């Protein structure tokens, strides 16, 4: 896709963070946007910013875990806006817990959004991208789709699944010589509210009330910077997009030492666990 002007992009999780900034940047390029989120107030704020750039904007409250609702949204966007050229499956949630403490209900909740939401969005919009004659699919994975991390087994499972799903899809479309690009995005620490809004199942020595704040200290990349990488990946038809220096370093670490990196993370987790188990203010 060489130009975004006059195209139509659908974005999930557009009420804040990466989804919001990507929607605004697309609008700046003259791209019309269809926005969805469960956060209606955030969605309205994103829509207002996009409309200031003179493009068409449609919004809907949407839970991407609901298959039929996603398919209905895709059909409505194609009908109301004339076509759909881009789908960005961005909606996601977080969960911090050891596997032992993770309830099946929490695991299913996260997978239904972080993995099945991507599948629903891709399958719902793919026929419309084909009908438009060109298009691009962007699926948001994570650096946790590249490496495993303690207390992130459910999140790891979903993001690894998104990576494999996306890479297989791109190959299928290339075999058929279809003019639809597919990009798997692996953000590092992005300054969004995903950690603060994540479900945390507390366990002494593993997860406590400070865990979300500790994660946020590692978030170095702004959502606007992430959006610029995503838009560039669409225009350059990249297979994969790493976002942030931390993502680049994690990717390198995983490729250079695919098993040793686990020992490094274990050592770090042990030190943190010992600190958390200490009584008193020093903990």
């Amino acid at each position: 896709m060489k130009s975004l002007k006059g195209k139509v992009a659908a974005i999930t999780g557009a009420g804040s963070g990466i989804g919001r900034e990507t929607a605004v940047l697309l609008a700046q390029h003259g791209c019309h946007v269809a926005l969805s989120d469960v956060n209606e107030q955030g969605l309205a704020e994103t829509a207002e910013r996009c409309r200031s750039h003179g493009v068409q904007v449609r919004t809907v409250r949407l839970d991407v875990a609901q298959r039929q609702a996603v398919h209905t949204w895709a059909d409505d966007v194609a009908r109301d806006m004339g076509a759909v050229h881009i789908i960005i499956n961005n909606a996601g949630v977080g969960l911090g817990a050891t596997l032992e403490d993770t309830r099946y209900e929490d695991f299913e909740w996260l997978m239904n959004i972080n993995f099945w939401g991507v599948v629903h969005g891709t399958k719902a919009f793919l026929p419309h991208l084909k009908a438009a004659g060109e298009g691009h699919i962007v699926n948001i994975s994570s650096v946790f789709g590249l490496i495993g991390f303690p207390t992130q087994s459910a999140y790891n499972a979903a993001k690894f699944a998104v990576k494999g799903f996306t890479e297989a899809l791109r190959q299928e479309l290339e075999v058929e010589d279809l003019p639809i690009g597919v990009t798997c995005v692996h953000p590092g620490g992005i300054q969004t509210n995903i950690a603060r809004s994540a479900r945390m199942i507390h366990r002494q020595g593993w997860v406590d009330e400070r865990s979300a704040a500790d994660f946020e200290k590692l978030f170095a990349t702004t959502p606007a910077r992430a959006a610029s990488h995503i838009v560039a990946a669409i225009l350059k038809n990249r297979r994969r997009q790493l976002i942030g220096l931390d993502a680049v370093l994690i990717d390198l670490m995983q490729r250079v030492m695919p098993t040793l990196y686990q020992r490094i993370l274990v050592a770090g987790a042990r030190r943190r666990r010992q600190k958390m188990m200490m009584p008193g203010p020093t903990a």
Side-chain angles (χ1 to χ4, degrees), residues 8-283:
V8 176
I11 307 167
T12 68
S16 64
I18 294 175
R20 167 178 289 178
E21 296 302 328
T22 303
V24 172
L25 186 55
L26 287 169
Q28 290 175 0
H29 280 78
C31 183
H32 309 298
V33 291
L35 312 175
S36 72
D37 204 304
V38 295
N39 177 2
E40 293 181 277
Q41 180 179 344
L43 198 59
E45 293 169 359
T46 303
E48 183 177 357
R49 288 181 60 187
C50 291
R51 289 193 180 100
S52 68
H53 297 289
V55 299
Q56 295 181 49
V57 180
R58 298 287 187 275
T59 64
V60 66
R61 186 188 186 283
L62 180 72
D63 179 357
V64 297
Q66 302 300 315
R67 181 192 306 170
Q68 189 54 55
V70 176
H71 278 264
T72 298
W73 177 53
D75 294 342
D76 289 347
V77 171
R79 182 193 65 233
D80 297 342
M81 305 186 78
V84 190
H85 304 89
I86 301 167
I87 171 63
I88 301 176
N89 291 303
N90 165 74
V93 292
L95 171 65
T98 65
L99 178 61
E100 185 176 1
D101 293 332
T102 301
R103 297 166 296 191
Y104 281 109
E105 294 82 2
D106 291 313
F107 214 122
E108 290 169 354
W109 165 75
L110 183 142
M111 291 297 291
N112 284 340
I113 297 170
N114 289 10
F115 175 64
W116 280 109
V118 171
V119 176
H120 295 159
T122 300
K123 285 185 67 65
F125 280 93
L126 181 55
H128 298 298
L129 269 58
K130 285 185 175 182
E134 66 172 331
H136 204 98
I137 298 168
V138 177
N139 291 336
I140 307 298
S141 178
S142 167
V143 290
F144 285 175
L146 301 173
I147 64 167
F149 197 88
T151 72
Q152 295 297 308
S153 58
Y155 195 81
N156 281 142
K159 294 304 185 179
F160 269 80
V162 168
K163 177 180 183 291
F165 170 81
T166 306
E167 292 180 0
L169 171 66
R170 170 135 187 171
Q171 294 171 50
E172 290 173 3
L173 298 179
E174 288 181 341
V175 168
E176 295 187 27
D177 292 321
L178 293 172
I180 299 173
V182 182
T183 301
C184 190
V185 178
H186 296 276
I190 310 298
Q191 296 168 7
T192 69
N193 62 2
I194 189 169
R196 274 169 285 164
S197 60
R199 290 186 182 180
M200 295 288 180
I201 302 176
H202 291 185
R203 183 179 185 184
Q204 188 178 18
W206 284 104
V207 178
D208 61 17
E209 64 278 358
R210 297 167 298 177
S211 295
D214 289 344
F215 260 113
E216 286 187 326
K217 291 176 183 177
L218 305 176
F219 295 176
T221 304
T222 65
R225 182 63 176 164
S228 69
H229 282 296
I230 291 171
V231 171
I234 294 171
L235 291 171
K236 296 181 181 180
N237 193 22
R238 293 173 180 159
R239 296 175 182 271
R240 185 179 75 155
Q241 180 65 58
L242 301 172
I243 297 180
L245 178 60
D246 52 348
V248 173
L249 294 176
I250 286 171
D251 176 58
L252 178 63
M253 177 179 69
Q254 191 280 330
R255 288 189 286 117
V256 172
M257 42 187 183
T259 57
L260 180 59
Y261 89 82
Q262 298 177 36
R263 297 180 182 274
I264 295 172
L265 293 182
V266 166
R270 279 178 175 158
R271 286 195 298 271
R272 184 174 186 276
R273 177 174 167 79
Q274 290 169 358
K275 183 177 180 181
M276 291 174 70
M277 297 291 283
M278 290 172 60
T282 55

